[in-house]
């Protein structure tokens, strides 16, 4: 099987990164339901392979844009659980100094501007980031994460049109989790695959098994190379499923039970863990140990985050202008 | 010294800034087309000859290319994005409002958005959808600076200051003031040309200009209305009324120092605005003046603005929509008489 083509360290690292996101999201969900975490949250349990598969194929100085559902992207891009958690708690030392919150986490020094919570709003933005990279003759690529719901926005059409005519180094990554809020994707388009829309812009599109972290990694690696060779953009559609509510206390009554169960069996962490154990050099005990480490790491981050001071009232009116 | 039109001054300012700093680039519709128009009002005419790589003609996709400008700005470029008519800013509004204006704050001060936006405004015989004065929609958007240029000197100086500023700056320009030539000549144009020095200069983005000293009443306007206010002041002078005329020019932030100095002196204020009176920039200005200098006001602030209607087409109606020198003078007379 193809897992054998990679070395152990790399694969275990992918597993750990996905698990970190899952553990982070589960703990955040608990904190939120418990009432200790303010605001609202959009979580990505079930979609970890997308975030990790894509970001593991990027260089550290590549850049990404994210959406209202950004925690996984941020962790995968290298933001620490601490800086995100502090932000979620509204702490003054969070990645956005308490002025962003869950829907706007980001850290420009790590290649991620604040996430854009206007559906589709990141698509023209990422296009412009890629335009800058090209004009500055830098080798990096920009990756734009968005959902299936965003493909109906004018911003999708306008952003990709520009990326395409200017041959920009940008990978448009659509995480097709079958739903935009409660609305199923087949109600918003007659196209069976979002990747097919690439043809309308004269760019390459590819539908990828989005819960297979290696498939996502490979597709991104190839797309990134294509972009760096001046042959971008690329539209990647990652087929996946959200194993949690859209936001807050959503009970997902609009998802058929069989569908949910079928996708739960395709849980990217479960599937990848099972595949890893097929290798001679990985045992269940190794994975259990990783789980313990990740749990301890997130628990520690929560403790740290809880202790961070809130912004002062003087911070209200700073950072409006440069 | 040579005289330049506003269109020429802007063009010169843009090319000087592009020469000075290679991160500066232009993007917009129908710009950079050899044999083309240089945008809707000739401002970018010929720019592509010197800067073929940095004069980006875009598809008709305002949301897309304003977003691209924001993205490029946060990556270290200094884009100058223009719309053919200010009205189209609505198509780009999400990228301007949700991204350009907010990214700095949302990032806790770690992201910079140094971009310039240029938009022609004003009623000019084109009917309702190519006519709006868009200032009101951007004043009161924290994170964006807003200026309006009424003469060539300011146009060049403020354009340069805007390019060098690390924030998103919206520059409003009036179609009747450009001095566009050839096929792009506007009927009813008003002369916005003036002497513009050769050497490098900037005009601050937060200072109003006292264009005419006076003792009895302060008349505030910008763009075309500033020119009409000056004309009104001439008429009033023949009647023995000594009006101070201020080109507000910086609409966000307002220069309350300069405005306040005048209000304390005269005690009477007339605000002139092209655009519906309700919810206009003048409403904010009136409230701001009243809060700050209310004790010096002899009478409540008076507004001379357009009626609350879309911009009409028929010349007779459009002229009735747009305040003119006579209506401004009458506004001043009524204010002073009510005393
Ligand atoms: C312009 C805009 N319209 C509506 C919303 C409200 N909204 C937030 S998320 C969402 C669904 C987005 O679906 P999709 O793009 O598939 O992303 P997913 O939530 O599945 O990750 C909606 C309608 C919004 N944030 N922005
Ligand atoms: Mg979706």
């Amino acid at each position: 099987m193809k897992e054998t083509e990679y070395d152990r360290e790399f694969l275990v690292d992918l597993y750990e990164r996905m698990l970190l996101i899952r553990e982070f999201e589960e703990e955040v969900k608990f904190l939120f339901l418990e009432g200790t975490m303010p605001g609202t949250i959009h979580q990505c349990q079930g979609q970890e392979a997308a975030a990790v598969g894509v970001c593991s194929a990027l260089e550290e100085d590549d850049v990404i844009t994210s959406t209202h559902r950004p925690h996984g992207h941020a962790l995968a891009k290298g933001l620490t659980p601490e800086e995100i958690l502090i932000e979620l708690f509204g702490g003054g030392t969070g990645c956005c100094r308490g002025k962003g919150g869950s829907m706007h986490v980001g850290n420009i020094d790590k290649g991620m501007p604040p996430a854009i919570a206007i559906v589709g709003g990141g698509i023209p933005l990422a296009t412009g980031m890629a335009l800058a990279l090209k004009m500055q003759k830098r080798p990096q690529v920009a990756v734009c994460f968005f959902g299936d719901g965003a493909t109906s926005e004018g911003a999708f059409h306008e952003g990709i049109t520009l990326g395409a005519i200017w041959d920009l180094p940008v990978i448009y990554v659509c995480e097709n989790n079958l739903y935009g809020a409660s609305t199923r994707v087949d109600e918003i388009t007659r196209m069976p695959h979002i990747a097919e829309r690439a043809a309308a812009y004269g760019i390459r599109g590819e539908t990828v098994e989005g819960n297979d972290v290696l498939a996502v990694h490979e597709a991104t690696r190839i797309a990134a190379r294509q972009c760096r060779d001046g042959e971008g953009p690329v539209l990647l559609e990652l087929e996946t499923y959200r194993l949690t509510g859209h936001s807050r206390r959503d009970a997902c009554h609009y998802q058929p039970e069989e569908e949910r169960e079928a996708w739960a069996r395709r849980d990217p962490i479960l599937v990848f863990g099972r595949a890893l154990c097929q290798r001679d050099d990985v045992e269940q005990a190794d994975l259990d140990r990783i789980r313990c480490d990740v749990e301890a790491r997130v628990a520690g981050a929560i403790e740290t985050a809880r202790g961070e001071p809130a912004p002062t009232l003087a911070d209200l009116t700073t950072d409006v202008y440069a | 010294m040579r005289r330049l039109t506003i269109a020429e001054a802007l063009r010169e300012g843009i090319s000087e800034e592009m020469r000075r700093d290679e991160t500066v680039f232009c993007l917009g519709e129908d710009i950079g087309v050899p044999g083309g128009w240089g945008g809707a009002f000739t401002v970018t005419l010929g720019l592509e000859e010197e800067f073929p790589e940095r004069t980006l003609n875009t598809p008709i996709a305002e949301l897309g290319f304003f977003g691209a400008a924001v993205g490029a700005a946060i990556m270290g470029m200094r884009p100058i994005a223009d719309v053919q008519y200010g009205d189209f800013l609505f198509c780009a509004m999400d990228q301007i409002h949700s991204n350009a204006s907010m990214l700095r704050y949302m990032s806790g001060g770690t992201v910079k958005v140094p971009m310039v936006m240029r938009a022609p405004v004003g009623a000019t015989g084109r009917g309702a959808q190519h006519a709006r004065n868009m200032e009101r929609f951007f004043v009161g958007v924290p994170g964006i600076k807003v200026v309006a240029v009424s003469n060539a000197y300011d146009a060049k100086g403020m354009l340069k200051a805007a390019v060098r500023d690390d924030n998103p700056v919206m520059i409003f320009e009036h179609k009747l003031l450009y001095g566009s030539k050839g096929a792009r000549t506007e009927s009813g144009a008003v002369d916005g040309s003036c002497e513009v020095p050769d050497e490098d200069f900037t005009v601050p983005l937060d200072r109003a200009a006292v264009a005419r000293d006076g003792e009895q009443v302060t008349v505030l306007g910008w763009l075309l209305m500033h020119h009409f206010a000056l004309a009104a002041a001439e008429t009033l002078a023949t009647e023995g009324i000594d009006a101070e005329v201020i080109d507000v020019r910086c609409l966000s932030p307002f220069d309350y120092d300069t405005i306040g100095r005048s209000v304390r002196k005269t005690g009477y204020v007339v605000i002139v605005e092209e655009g519906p009176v309700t919810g206009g920039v003048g409403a904010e200005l009136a409230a701001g003046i009243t809060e700050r200098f209310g004790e010096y006001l002899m009478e409540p602030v008076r507004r001379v603005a357009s009626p609350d209607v879309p911009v009409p087409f028929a010349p007779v109606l459009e002229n009735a929509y747009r305040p003119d020198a006579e209506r401004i003078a009458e506004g001043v007379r009524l204010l002073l008489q009510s005393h």
Side-chain angles (χ1 to χ4, degrees), chain A residues 96-97 99 114 116 118 121 124-125 128-129 132 136 158 162 316 318-322, chain B residues 59 61-64 68 71-72 75 77 94-95 99 104-106 108 143-144 167:
Chain A
C96 303
R97 301 186 190 165
K99 287 173 173 168
I116 304 300
I118 305 294
L125 189 76
M129 292 167 74
Q136 295 160 353
E158 296 194 19
L162 295 179
L316 175 65
T318 59
D319 301 328
V320 178
Y321 292 95
Chain B
E62 290 80 6
L63 181 66
M75 293 291 286
M77 300 297 285
D94 177 55
Q95 290 295 330
N99 290 352
R104 181 158 188 85
Y105 194 77
M106 295 197 311
I144 295 185
N167 297 286

mmCIF file of all heavy atoms in Angstrom, chain A residues 96-97 99 114 116 118 121 124-125 128-129 132 136 158 162 316 318-322, chain B residues 59 61-64 68 71-72 75 77 94-95 99 104-106 108 143-144 167:
data_model
loop_
_atom_site.group_PDB
_atom_site.id
_atom_site.type_symbol
_atom_site.label_atom_id
_atom_site.label_comp_id
_atom_site.label_asym_id
_atom_site.label_seq_id
_atom_site.Cartn_x
_atom_site.Cartn_y
_atom_site.Cartn_z
ATOM 1 N N CYS A 96 -4.529 37.435 17.522
ATOM 2 C CA CYS A 96 -5.025 38.717 17.013
ATOM 3 C C CYS A 96 -5.260 39.702 18.160
ATOM 4 O O CYS A 96 -6.060 40.635 18.035
ATOM 5 C CB CYS A 96 -6.312 38.512 16.221
ATOM 6 S SG CYS A 96 -6.166 37.375 14.843
ATOM 7 N N ARG A 97 -4.591 39.446 19.276
ATOM 8 C CA ARG A 97 -4.682 40.327 20.449
ATOM 9 C C ARG A 97 -6.111 40.520 20.949
ATOM 10 O O ARG A 97 -6.496 41.594 21.413
ATOM 11 C CB ARG A 97 -4.044 41.687 20.156
ATOM 12 C CG ARG A 97 -2.585 41.536 19.768
ATOM 13 C CD ARG A 97 -1.876 42.857 19.612
ATOM 14 N NE ARG A 97 -0.562 42.663 19.011
ATOM 15 C CZ ARG A 97 0.164 43.640 18.486
ATOM 16 N NH1 ARG A 97 -0.280 44.875 18.504
ATOM 17 N NH2 ARG A 97 1.331 43.383 17.963
ATOM 18 N N LYS A 99 -8.739 40.800 19.212
ATOM 19 C CA LYS A 99 -9.598 41.609 18.346
ATOM 20 C C LYS A 99 -10.160 40.811 17.172
ATOM 21 O O LYS A 99 -10.921 41.337 16.363
ATOM 22 C CB LYS A 99 -8.822 42.817 17.835
ATOM 23 C CG LYS A 99 -8.625 43.849 18.936
ATOM 24 C CD LYS A 99 -7.722 44.961 18.496
ATOM 25 C CE LYS A 99 -7.706 46.043 19.562
ATOM 26 N NZ LYS A 99 -6.654 47.023 19.336
ATOM 27 N N PRO A 114 -5.696 37.232 9.112
ATOM 28 C CA PRO A 114 -6.930 36.861 9.806
ATOM 29 C C PRO A 114 -7.890 36.149 8.854
ATOM 30 O O PRO A 114 -8.044 36.557 7.706
ATOM 31 C CB PRO A 114 -7.499 38.213 10.245
ATOM 32 C CG PRO A 114 -6.314 39.090 10.380
ATOM 33 C CD PRO A 114 -5.361 38.646 9.304
ATOM 34 N N ILE A 116 -11.138 35.014 6.914
ATOM 35 C CA ILE A 116 -12.196 35.860 6.363
ATOM 36 C C ILE A 116 -13.527 35.133 6.543
ATOM 37 O O ILE A 116 -13.745 34.071 5.954
ATOM 38 C CB ILE A 116 -11.946 36.131 4.869
ATOM 39 C CG1 ILE A 116 -10.554 36.750 4.654
ATOM 40 C CG2 ILE A 116 -13.048 37.030 4.300
ATOM 41 C CD1 ILE A 116 -10.303 38.059 5.357
ATOM 42 N N ILE A 118 -16.570 36.232 5.788
ATOM 43 C CA ILE A 118 -17.574 36.492 4.765
ATOM 44 C C ILE A 118 -17.390 35.378 3.730
ATOM 45 O O ILE A 118 -16.322 35.264 3.132
ATOM 46 C CB ILE A 118 -17.351 37.863 4.093
ATOM 47 C CG1 ILE A 118 -17.314 39.000 5.121
ATOM 48 C CG2 ILE A 118 -18.416 38.116 3.039
ATOM 49 C CD1 ILE A 118 -18.592 39.267 5.845
ATOM 50 N N GLY A 121 -15.155 35.548 0.645
ATOM 51 C CA GLY A 121 -14.352 36.779 0.721
ATOM 52 C C GLY A 121 -12.860 36.556 0.635
ATOM 53 O O GLY A 121 -12.111 37.465 0.289
ATOM 54 N N PRO A 124 -10.896 36.452 -3.654
ATOM 55 C CA PRO A 124 -10.158 37.554 -4.275
ATOM 56 C C PRO A 124 -8.904 37.936 -3.475
ATOM 57 O O PRO A 124 -7.879 38.304 -4.051
ATOM 58 C CB PRO A 124 -11.167 38.713 -4.261
ATOM 59 C CG PRO A 124 -12.500 38.051 -4.205
ATOM 60 C CD PRO A 124 -12.293 36.826 -3.352
ATOM 61 N N LEU A 125 -9.000 37.823 -2.161
ATOM 62 C CA LEU A 125 -7.871 38.193 -1.310
ATOM 63 C C LEU A 125 -6.658 37.308 -1.593
ATOM 64 O O LEU A 125 -5.545 37.804 -1.805
ATOM 65 C CB LEU A 125 -8.277 38.071 0.160
ATOM 66 C CG LEU A 125 -7.286 38.634 1.173
ATOM 67 C CD1 LEU A 125 -7.363 40.153 1.178
ATOM 68 C CD2 LEU A 125 -7.569 38.092 2.569
ATOM 69 N N GLY A 128 -5.038 38.127 -4.785
ATOM 70 C CA GLY A 128 -4.157 39.294 -4.692
ATOM 71 C C GLY A 128 -2.843 38.969 -4.003
ATOM 72 O O GLY A 128 -1.793 39.512 -4.358
ATOM 73 N N MET A 129 -2.899 38.096 -3.012
ATOM 74 C CA MET A 129 -1.654 37.696 -2.344
ATOM 75 C C MET A 129 -0.750 36.985 -3.349
ATOM 76 O O MET A 129 0.455 37.218 -3.394
ATOM 77 C CB MET A 129 -1.975 36.794 -1.140
ATOM 78 C CG MET A 129 -2.694 37.563 -0.027
ATOM 79 S SD MET A 129 -3.434 36.491 1.235
ATOM 80 C CE MET A 129 -1.964 35.970 2.124
ATOM 81 N N ALA A 132 0.825 39.489 -5.671
ATOM 82 C CA ALA A 132 2.012 40.113 -5.072
ATOM 83 C C ALA A 132 3.213 39.177 -5.188
ATOM 84 O O ALA A 132 4.309 39.603 -5.573
ATOM 85 C CB ALA A 132 1.745 40.471 -3.612
ATOM 86 N N GLN A 136 6.510 40.215 -7.188
ATOM 87 C CA GLN A 136 7.764 40.311 -6.434
ATOM 88 C C GLN A 136 8.744 39.202 -6.816
ATOM 89 O O GLN A 136 9.809 39.095 -6.225
ATOM 90 C CB GLN A 136 7.451 40.243 -4.932
ATOM 91 C CG GLN A 136 6.638 41.439 -4.419
ATOM 92 C CD GLN A 136 5.920 41.151 -3.093
ATOM 93 O OE1 GLN A 136 5.915 40.021 -2.612
ATOM 94 N NE2 GLN A 136 5.311 42.168 -2.517
ATOM 95 N N GLU A 158 -15.186 35.901 -9.683
ATOM 96 C CA GLU A 158 -14.292 37.023 -9.975
ATOM 97 C C GLU A 158 -12.860 36.720 -9.550
ATOM 98 O O GLU A 158 -11.903 37.028 -10.265
ATOM 99 C CB GLU A 158 -14.807 38.296 -9.293
ATOM 100 C CG GLU A 158 -16.160 38.722 -9.831
ATOM 101 C CD GLU A 158 -16.554 40.141 -9.439
ATOM 102 O OE1 GLU A 158 -15.675 40.944 -9.069
ATOM 103 O OE2 GLU A 158 -17.764 40.440 -9.498
ATOM 104 N N LEU A 162 -9.568 36.232 -12.191
ATOM 105 C CA LEU A 162 -8.321 37.013 -12.149
ATOM 106 C C LEU A 162 -7.111 36.099 -11.986
ATOM 107 O O LEU A 162 -6.090 36.271 -12.655
ATOM 108 C CB LEU A 162 -8.367 38.027 -11.005
ATOM 109 C CG LEU A 162 -9.419 39.133 -11.118
ATOM 110 C CD1 LEU A 162 -9.346 40.044 -9.904
ATOM 111 C CD2 LEU A 162 -9.209 39.948 -12.374
ATOM 112 N N LEU A 316 -9.233 49.144 22.947
ATOM 113 C CA LEU A 316 -10.430 49.265 22.103
ATOM 114 C C LEU A 316 -10.165 50.104 20.862
ATOM 115 O O LEU A 316 -10.579 49.765 19.766
ATOM 116 C CB LEU A 316 -11.584 49.874 22.915
ATOM 117 C CG LEU A 316 -12.871 50.172 22.136
ATOM 118 C CD1 LEU A 316 -13.513 48.886 21.629
ATOM 119 C CD2 LEU A 316 -13.851 50.950 23.013
ATOM 120 N N THR A 318 -7.138 51.167 19.605
ATOM 121 C CA THR A 318 -5.849 51.081 18.902
ATOM 122 C C THR A 318 -5.966 50.113 17.719
ATOM 123 O O THR A 318 -6.930 49.363 17.611
ATOM 124 C CB THR A 318 -4.733 50.568 19.838
ATOM 125 O OG1 THR A 318 -5.109 49.277 20.330
ATOM 126 C CG2 THR A 318 -4.515 51.514 21.001
ATOM 127 N N ASP A 319 -4.963 50.138 16.856
ATOM 128 C CA ASP A 319 -4.861 49.210 15.714
ATOM 129 C C ASP A 319 -5.914 49.446 14.632
ATOM 130 O O ASP A 319 -6.147 48.570 13.799
ATOM 131 C CB ASP A 319 -4.970 47.740 16.171
ATOM 132 C CG ASP A 319 -3.884 47.358 17.161
ATOM 133 O OD1 ASP A 319 -2.778 47.908 17.046
ATOM 134 O OD2 ASP A 319 -4.149 46.528 18.044
ATOM 135 N N VAL A 320 -6.553 50.615 14.625
ATOM 136 C CA VAL A 320 -7.504 50.915 13.550
ATOM 137 C C VAL A 320 -6.726 51.359 12.305
ATOM 138 O O VAL A 320 -7.024 50.944 11.189
ATOM 139 C CB VAL A 320 -8.500 52.003 13.979
ATOM 140 C CG1 VAL A 320 -9.452 52.337 12.832
ATOM 141 C CG2 VAL A 320 -9.281 51.543 15.204
ATOM 142 N N TYR A 321 -5.738 52.224 12.538
ATOM 143 C CA TYR A 321 -4.890 52.695 11.437
ATOM 144 C C TYR A 321 -3.437 52.323 11.689
ATOM 145 O O TYR A 321 -3.032 52.155 12.837
ATOM 146 C CB TYR A 321 -4.996 54.224 11.308
ATOM 147 C CG TYR A 321 -6.356 54.683 10.847
ATOM 148 C CD1 TYR A 321 -7.322 55.068 11.766
ATOM 149 C CD2 TYR A 321 -6.672 54.716 9.489
ATOM 150 C CE1 TYR A 321 -8.579 55.481 11.345
ATOM 151 C CE2 TYR A 321 -7.923 55.132 9.062
ATOM 152 C CZ TYR A 321 -8.871 55.519 9.987
ATOM 153 O OH TYR A 321 -10.110 55.917 9.564
ATOM 154 N N ALA A 322 -2.694 52.186 10.614
ATOM 155 C CA ALA A 322 -1.267 51.882 10.751
ATOM 156 C C ALA A 322 -0.521 53.158 11.105
ATOM 157 O O ALA A 322 -0.949 54.245 10.753
ATOM 158 C CB ALA A 322 -0.736 51.320 9.448
ATOM 159 N N PRO B 59 -10.541 42.418 -15.846
ATOM 160 C CA PRO B 59 -11.900 42.178 -16.335
ATOM 161 C C PRO B 59 -12.880 43.055 -15.531
ATOM 162 O O PRO B 59 -12.493 43.678 -14.543
ATOM 163 C CB PRO B 59 -12.142 40.700 -16.033
ATOM 164 C CG PRO B 59 -10.828 40.126 -15.660
ATOM 165 C CD PRO B 59 -9.975 41.247 -15.182
ATOM 166 N N ALA B 61 -14.773 43.224 -12.980
ATOM 167 C CA ALA B 61 -14.913 42.385 -11.792
ATOM 168 C C ALA B 61 -14.449 43.174 -10.571
ATOM 169 O O ALA B 61 -13.388 42.925 -10.014
ATOM 170 C CB ALA B 61 -14.086 41.110 -11.962
ATOM 171 N N GLU B 62 -15.265 44.154 -10.170
ATOM 172 C CA GLU B 62 -14.838 45.063 -9.107
ATOM 173 C C GLU B 62 -14.568 44.344 -7.798
ATOM 174 O O GLU B 62 -13.613 44.644 -7.088
ATOM 175 C CB GLU B 62 -15.877 46.174 -8.891
ATOM 176 C CG GLU B 62 -15.970 47.192 -10.028
ATOM 177 C CD GLU B 62 -16.791 46.704 -11.208
ATOM 178 O OE1 GLU B 62 -17.396 45.618 -11.108
ATOM 179 O OE2 GLU B 62 -16.818 47.404 -12.245
ATOM 180 N N LEU B 63 -15.427 43.394 -7.460
ATOM 181 C CA LEU B 63 -15.215 42.655 -6.213
ATOM 182 C C LEU B 63 -13.893 41.899 -6.288
ATOM 183 O O LEU B 63 -13.117 41.879 -5.342
ATOM 184 C CB LEU B 63 -16.365 41.670 -5.996
ATOM 185 C CG LEU B 63 -16.305 40.838 -4.717
ATOM 186 C CD1 LEU B 63 -16.455 41.713 -3.490
ATOM 187 C CD2 LEU B 63 -17.386 39.763 -4.737
ATOM 188 N N GLY B 64 -13.645 41.315 -7.438
ATOM 189 C CA GLY B 64 -12.427 40.534 -7.625
ATOM 190 C C GLY B 64 -11.183 41.395 -7.539
ATOM 191 O O GLY B 64 -10.261 41.102 -6.781
ATOM 192 N N ALA B 68 -8.238 41.622 -4.845
ATOM 193 C CA ALA B 68 -6.853 41.337 -5.229
ATOM 194 C C ALA B 68 -5.931 42.469 -4.764
ATOM 195 O O ALA B 68 -4.802 42.232 -4.340
ATOM 196 C CB ALA B 68 -6.751 41.146 -6.741
ATOM 197 N N GLY B 71 -5.309 41.911 -1.104
ATOM 198 C CA GLY B 71 -4.382 40.790 -0.921
ATOM 199 C C GLY B 71 -2.951 41.184 -1.255
ATOM 200 O O GLY B 71 -2.010 40.834 -0.546
ATOM 201 N N ALA B 72 -2.783 41.936 -2.339
ATOM 202 C CA ALA B 72 -1.444 42.367 -2.728
ATOM 203 C C ALA B 72 -0.887 43.345 -1.692
ATOM 204 O O ALA B 72 0.303 43.315 -1.360
ATOM 205 C CB ALA B 72 -1.480 43.010 -4.117
ATOM 206 N N MET B 75 0.613 41.864 1.306
ATOM 207 C CA MET B 75 1.853 41.150 0.988
ATOM 208 C C MET B 75 2.973 42.118 0.612
ATOM 209 O O MET B 75 3.990 41.706 0.047
ATOM 210 C CB MET B 75 1.609 40.174 -0.160
ATOM 211 C CG MET B 75 0.685 39.029 0.191
ATOM 212 S SD MET B 75 1.406 37.860 1.362
ATOM 213 C CE MET B 75 2.576 37.029 0.275
ATOM 214 N N MET B 77 2.768 45.054 -1.385
ATOM 215 C CA MET B 77 2.653 45.905 -2.560
ATOM 216 C C MET B 77 1.838 47.156 -2.189
ATOM 217 O O MET B 77 1.232 47.222 -1.117
ATOM 218 C CB MET B 77 1.973 45.153 -3.703
ATOM 219 C CG MET B 77 2.713 43.892 -4.148
ATOM 220 S SD MET B 77 4.364 44.206 -4.820
ATOM 221 C CE MET B 77 3.951 44.881 -6.446
ATOM 222 N N ASP B 94 -17.752 44.626 -0.288
ATOM 223 C CA ASP B 94 -17.355 43.653 0.731
ATOM 224 C C ASP B 94 -15.848 43.636 0.918
ATOM 225 O O ASP B 94 -15.352 43.595 2.036
ATOM 226 C CB ASP B 94 -17.851 42.247 0.370
ATOM 227 C CG ASP B 94 -17.366 41.239 1.390
ATOM 228 O OD1 ASP B 94 -17.633 41.453 2.585
ATOM 229 O OD2 ASP B 94 -16.705 40.263 1.011
ATOM 230 N N GLN B 95 -15.113 43.677 -0.175
ATOM 231 C CA GLN B 95 -13.658 43.646 -0.046
ATOM 232 C C GLN B 95 -13.128 44.925 0.593
ATOM 233 O O GLN B 95 -12.146 44.900 1.327
ATOM 234 C CB GLN B 95 -13.005 43.422 -1.420
ATOM 235 C CG GLN B 95 -13.222 42.017 -1.966
ATOM 236 C CD GLN B 95 -12.539 40.936 -1.133
ATOM 237 O OE1 GLN B 95 -11.505 41.166 -0.512
ATOM 238 N NE2 GLN B 95 -13.127 39.752 -1.100
ATOM 239 N N ASN B 99 -12.695 43.633 4.358
ATOM 240 C CA ASN B 99 -11.277 43.260 4.352
ATOM 241 C C ASN B 99 -10.346 44.465 4.472
ATOM 242 O O ASN B 99 -9.603 44.572 5.439
ATOM 243 C CB ASN B 99 -10.943 42.437 3.103
ATOM 244 C CG ASN B 99 -11.574 41.042 3.160
ATOM 245 O OD1 ASN B 99 -12.124 40.653 4.188
ATOM 246 N ND2 ASN B 99 -11.496 40.296 2.084
ATOM 247 N N ARG B 104 -6.511 45.246 9.597
ATOM 248 C CA ARG B 104 -5.536 45.705 10.582
ATOM 249 C C ARG B 104 -6.064 45.500 12.007
ATOM 250 O O ARG B 104 -5.380 44.954 12.862
ATOM 251 C CB ARG B 104 -5.176 47.174 10.370
ATOM 252 C CG ARG B 104 -4.139 47.618 11.387
ATOM 253 C CD ARG B 104 -3.340 48.826 11.001
ATOM 254 N NE ARG B 104 -2.277 49.012 11.963
ATOM 255 C CZ ARG B 104 -1.102 48.412 11.904
ATOM 256 N NH1 ARG B 104 -0.835 47.596 10.913
ATOM 257 N NH2 ARG B 104 -0.188 48.621 12.824
ATOM 258 N N TYR B 105 -7.294 45.905 12.213
ATOM 259 C CA TYR B 105 -7.857 45.786 13.557
ATOM 260 C C TYR B 105 -8.022 44.320 13.953
ATOM 261 O O TYR B 105 -7.613 43.902 15.035
ATOM 262 C CB TYR B 105 -9.213 46.500 13.607
ATOM 263 C CG TYR B 105 -9.733 46.734 15.008
ATOM 264 C CD1 TYR B 105 -9.210 47.759 15.799
ATOM 265 C CD2 TYR B 105 -10.753 45.950 15.535
ATOM 266 C CE1 TYR B 105 -9.687 47.985 17.088
ATOM 267 C CE2 TYR B 105 -11.238 46.171 16.820
ATOM 268 C CZ TYR B 105 -10.709 47.195 17.593
ATOM 269 O OH TYR B 105 -11.187 47.416 18.862
ATOM 270 N N MET B 106 -8.606 43.532 13.060
ATOM 271 C CA MET B 106 -8.851 42.111 13.365
ATOM 272 C C MET B 106 -7.561 41.366 13.651
ATOM 273 O O MET B 106 -7.567 40.347 14.334
ATOM 274 C CB MET B 106 -9.548 41.418 12.193
ATOM 275 C CG MET B 106 -10.938 41.930 11.891
ATOM 276 S SD MET B 106 -11.910 40.807 10.863
ATOM 277 C CE MET B 106 -10.803 40.421 9.523
ATOM 278 N N GLY B 108 -5.098 42.578 15.243
ATOM 279 C CA GLY B 108 -4.433 43.156 16.402
ATOM 280 C C GLY B 108 -3.249 44.032 16.020
ATOM 281 O O GLY B 108 -2.251 44.091 16.725
ATOM 282 N N GLY B 143 -10.874 52.739 9.781
ATOM 283 C CA GLY B 143 -9.826 51.989 9.091
ATOM 284 C C GLY B 143 -9.548 52.493 7.689
ATOM 285 O O GLY B 143 -8.546 52.130 7.093
ATOM 286 N N ILE B 144 -10.447 53.320 7.156
ATOM 287 C CA ILE B 144 -10.221 53.901 5.822
ATOM 288 C C ILE B 144 -10.094 55.410 5.964
ATOM 289 O O ILE B 144 -10.823 56.028 6.733
ATOM 290 C CB ILE B 144 -11.403 53.602 4.867
ATOM 291 C CG1 ILE B 144 -11.509 52.106 4.616
ATOM 292 C CG2 ILE B 144 -11.243 54.328 3.542
ATOM 293 C CD1 ILE B 144 -12.572 51.755 3.592
ATOM 294 N N ASN B 167 -2.256 52.986 5.114
ATOM 295 C CA ASN B 167 -3.656 52.590 5.291
ATOM 296 C C ASN B 167 -4.393 52.622 3.957
ATOM 297 O O ASN B 167 -3.930 53.243 3.006
ATOM 298 C CB ASN B 167 -4.337 53.575 6.252
ATOM 299 C CG ASN B 167 -3.716 53.521 7.619
ATOM 300 O OD1 ASN B 167 -3.927 52.577 8.380
ATOM 301 N ND2 ASN B 167 -2.902 54.533 7.947
#
